[in-house]
Amino acid sequence: MEARYQPPVWAYAKWPDLPKHYSRRFDADYTAMAEAWLADVERHIRLGDWEPPRIVVSKTRATAGTSSGLSSPAMTADGHAFYHTAVHPEARGMGVGSLLAGHAVETLRALGLPKVAVGVYADNKAGNDFWEQQGFAIRDDLVYRELSL
């Protein structure tokens, strides 16, 4: 499925080269995600703070050890998960991580998920600070365990 919207008319004065439409493809099962994406765009247009989507491209990828991102699965009610999200170190501090986290949380909320959890290495101060700023609380009642195979 494809979700599509037209940039606001006033935006063409600021960004004359805008395309006539922006679109994003979603799997057929993700109607709620598409609707949430469009609702977010419409909200920003209404508020007058809409900006064209920006794409950050890098030649290298951040690794799990150096990134602050979702490192444990965030499962939806139908069994889907976000296994890892990271922001390249050169793009940090620009709000990209907050946008990614915000969209992930809103998407999961729209799908009816009651909560979401992230796993961050204890010595990853930047990652732990980031998730605390996003409103994620530390759970003292859980112990993370794994079995190497």
Side-chain angles (χ1 to χ4, degrees), residues 8-16 18:
V9 174
W10 55 262
Y12 288 96
K14 189 171 182 179
W15 300 284
L18 287 176

Side-chain angles (χ1 to χ4, degrees), residues 73-122:
M75 301 299 292
T76 64
D78 59 358
H80 292 88
F82 293 103
Y83 285 98
H84 186 80
T85 300
V87 175
H88 190 279
E90 292 175 14
R92 292 186 189 153
M94 298 180 190
V96 175
S98 294
L99 286 172
L100 285 170
H103 282 292
V105 167
E106 290 307 314
T107 298
L108 295 169
R109 184 176 284 127
L111 291 171
L113 196 71
K115 64 183 172 182
V116 61
V118 297
V120 183
Y121 288 107

Side-chain angles (χ1 to χ4, degrees), residues 1 18 36 74-75 85-86 95 119 121 134 142 145 149:
M1 107 174 264
L18 287 176
M75 301 299 292
T85 300
Y121 288 107
Q134 302 306 308
L142 295 177
R145 297 184 186 272
L149 302 177

Side-chain angles (χ1 to χ4, degrees), residues 8-10 15 18 21-22 29 32 34 67 72 85 94 100 109 113 128 130-131 139 148:
V9 174
W10 55 262
W15 300 284
L18 287 176
H21 295 94
Y22 282 99
D29 296 339
S67 66
S72 61
T85 300
M94 298 180 190
L100 285 170
R109 184 176 284 127
L113 196 71
N128 282 295
F130 170 81
W131 289 110
R139 300 259 322 248
S148 295

Side-chain angles (χ1 to χ4, degrees), residues 56-71 83-92 96-97 100 121 124:
V56 177
V57 178
S58 69
K59 293 180 181 177
T60 60
R61 294 179 186 212
T63 64
T66 62
S67 66
S68 59
L70 296 171
S71 57
Y83 285 98
H84 186 80
T85 300
V87 175
H88 190 279
E90 292 175 14
R92 292 186 189 153
V96 175
L100 285 170
Y121 288 107
N124 183 347

